């Protein structure tokens, strides 16, 4: 009975923070780690980097759910979530947030002084995203910017130094996340307008929002292509980019805001595949031709 309750609580917290969406940032963090280390990094670096990523991401997502509870309860699309339905208590979620941020700070401390020094700034950035939709349509880019800290932080974890490549990886994530977050937000155009929430779809309309999303993804692909030369990658990396491009084109083709199932496919499922394709092809290319 006790084990069953623990399992149910764990499952609900995993659903609360959409743990499966770690696949958006984790692959790029792994790429950054391997490139920074010029191969397989020490085990402790990989371990604490992953712990830091999970702690920061879980804390930020739970914080966002807590802050947006009132809007989630009003929106028919999100009213089923755990906090509006009181499946989880505010206090439980607050404790969960604190524990994950402590885990993130400790992992950063275990890595190196630069990571630890920057960790409080990272917490501020990933937490303040939750408020941006209240005053700016740039909220999608800010969300991407916060998630972009994953490959940048991963590089710092290995080297303890600034470099150019991780910021390109971070920009790629920012544009990619912002693009499909805009797509996802097209479902809430009328709700956002009615409740005074800002988003690119609610401000610019459906067609212009989708054009902006396509433009962001185009720039993302061009930056990925630039890494082919910067990192001296091979044909397998290019193959991965080709597959990612096909998946992105499919994503933009199947968009239908009135169909929730198709929007989940376009906004989440296809993008999870894209990140894994890029990771597998990048790592295969690197270890076949560079290691």
């Amino acid at each position: 009975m006790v084990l069953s309750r623990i399992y149910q609580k764990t499952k609900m917290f995993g659903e609360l923070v959409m743990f499966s969406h770690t696949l958006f940032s984790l692959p790029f963090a792994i790429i950054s780690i391997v490139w920074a280390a010029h191969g397989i990094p020490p085990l402790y670096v990989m371990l604490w980097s992953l712990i830091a990523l999970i702690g920061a991401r879980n804390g930020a997502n739970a914080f966002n759910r807590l802050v947006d509870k009132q809007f989630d309860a009003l929106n028919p699309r999100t009213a089923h979530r755990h906090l509006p339905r009181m499946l989880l208590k505010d206090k439980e979620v607050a404790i969960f947030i604190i524990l994950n941020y402590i885990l993130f700070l400790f992992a950063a401390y275990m890595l190196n002084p630069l990571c630890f020094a920057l960790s409080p700034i990272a917490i501020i950035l990933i937490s303040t995203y939750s408020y941006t939709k209240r005053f700016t349509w740039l909220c999608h880019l800010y969300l991407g910017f916060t998630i972009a800290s994953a490959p940048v932080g991963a590089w710092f974890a290995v080297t303890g130094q600034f470099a150019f490549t991780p910021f390109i990886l971070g920009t790629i994530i920012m544009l990619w996340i912002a693009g499909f977050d805009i797509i996802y937000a097209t479902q809430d155009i009328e709700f956002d307008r009615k409740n005074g929430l800002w988003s690119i779809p609610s401000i610019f309309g459906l067609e212009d929002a989708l054009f902006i999303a396509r433009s962001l993804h185009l720039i993302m692909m061009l930056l990925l292509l630039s890494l082919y030369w910067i990192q001296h990658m091979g044909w397998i990396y290019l193959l991965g980019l080709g597959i990612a491009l096909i998946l992105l084109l499919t994503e933009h083709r199947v968009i239908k805001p009135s169909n929730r199932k198709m929007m989940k496919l376009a906004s989440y499922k296809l993008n999870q595949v894209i990140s894994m394709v890029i990771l597998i092809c990048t790592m295969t290319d690197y270890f076949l031709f560079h290691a």
Side-chain angles (χ1 to χ4, degrees):
M1 189 70 176
V2 175
L3 290 177
S4 177
R5 290 179 62 186
I6 293 174
Y7 170 76
Q8 289 300 323
K9 281 289 184 181
T10 303
K11 182 181 178 183
M12 282 193 286
F13 276 111
E15 293 168 347
L16 177 79
V17 301
M18 298 181 292
F19 190 76
S20 62
H21 292 186
T22 306
L23 288 178
F24 296 142
S25 57
L26 180 59
F28 287 93
I30 293 173
I31 291 170
S32 186
I33 287 172
V34 170
W35 281 353
H38 301 290
I40 301 296
L43 180 60
Y44 81 91
V45 172
M46 182 69 80
L47 176 64
W48 288 115
S49 296
L50 294 178
I51 291 173
L53 174 65
I54 291 171
R57 190 201 167 280
N58 286 351
N61 272 32
F63 186 84
N64 181 58
R65 288 286 181 263
L66 188 60
V67 168
D68 280 351
K69 175 184 173 181
Q70 58 176 323
F71 295 111
D72 286 345
L74 293 173
N75 190 339
R77 186 181 62 78
T78 58
H80 69 282
R81 289 175 175 172
H82 298 77
L83 283 169
R85 292 174 58 197
M86 294 184 288
L87 297 175
L88 291 170
K89 299 177 181 178
D90 291 4
K91 184 178 180 180
E92 290 177 320
V93 176
I95 292 172
F96 180 79
I97 294 166
I98 293 169
L99 290 177
N100 274 279
Y101 280 166
I102 290 174
L103 182 65
F104 168 62
L105 291 169
F106 183 71
Y109 173 79
M110 294 299 293
L111 284 164
N112 58 57
L114 178 61
C115 287
F116 186 58
L118 294 175
S119 57
I121 299 174
I123 288 177
I124 293 171
L125 290 175
I126 61 181
S127 298
T128 51
Y129 154 71
S130 304
Y131 297 98
T132 55
K133 202 172 181 182
R134 289 158 169 78
F135 63 87
T136 177
W137 51 265
L138 292 172
C139 53
H140 314 282
L141 284 164
Y142 193 84
L143 171 63
F145 174 72
T146 62
I147 298 176
S149 62
V152 176
W155 190 284
F156 292 164
V158 175
T159 67
Q161 298 176 344
F162 286 88
F164 185 57
T165 297
F167 286 99
I168 296 179
L169 282 170
T171 304
I172 288 167
I173 283 192
M174 180 181 73
L175 297 172
W176 175 46
I177 297 289
F180 71 73
D181 191 57
I182 291 170
I183 292 172
Y184 193 70
T186 59
Q187 299 173 96
D188 295 330
I189 290 177
E190 295 307 319
F191 177 83
D192 288 348
R193 287 172 175 170
K194 182 179 178 181
N195 290 275
L197 295 174
W198 293 61
S199 71
I200 285 177
S202 69
I203 299 300
F204 296 97
L206 177 62
E207 293 303 321
D208 286 345
L210 293 180
F211 174 77
I212 293 170
R214 289 193 295 269
S215 300
L216 294 177
H217 284 165
L218 173 61
I219 300 170
M220 163 209 168
M221 290 304 302
L222 292 174
L223 287 175
L224 278 167
L225 185 60
S226 75
L227 289 173
Y228 169 75
W229 288 284
I230 293 171
Q231 292 298 120
H232 308 290
M233 301 302 288
W235 66 268
I236 299 177
Y237 177 80
L238 289 179
L239 175 63
L241 296 194
I243 296 172
L245 178 60
I246 292 171
L247 291 171
L248 275 176
L249 292 173
T250 303
E251 173 183 328
H252 286 274
R253 187 175 180 82
V254 302
I255 294 168
K256 191 174 182 181
S258 61
N259 188 322
R260 188 177 301 177
K261 187 175 181 179
M262 293 304 292
M263 293 308 291
K264 284 186 177 180
L265 174 66
S267 300
Y268 291 144
K269 295 185 183 300
L270 284 175
N271 285 294
Q272 289 174 337
V273 177
I274 287 170
S275 63
M276 291 307 299
V277 166
I278 292 174
L279 172 65
I280 291 169
C281 290
T282 301
M283 292 296 93
T284 302
D285 190 293
Y286 185 85
F287 286 109
L288 277 181
F289 303 124
H290 297 80

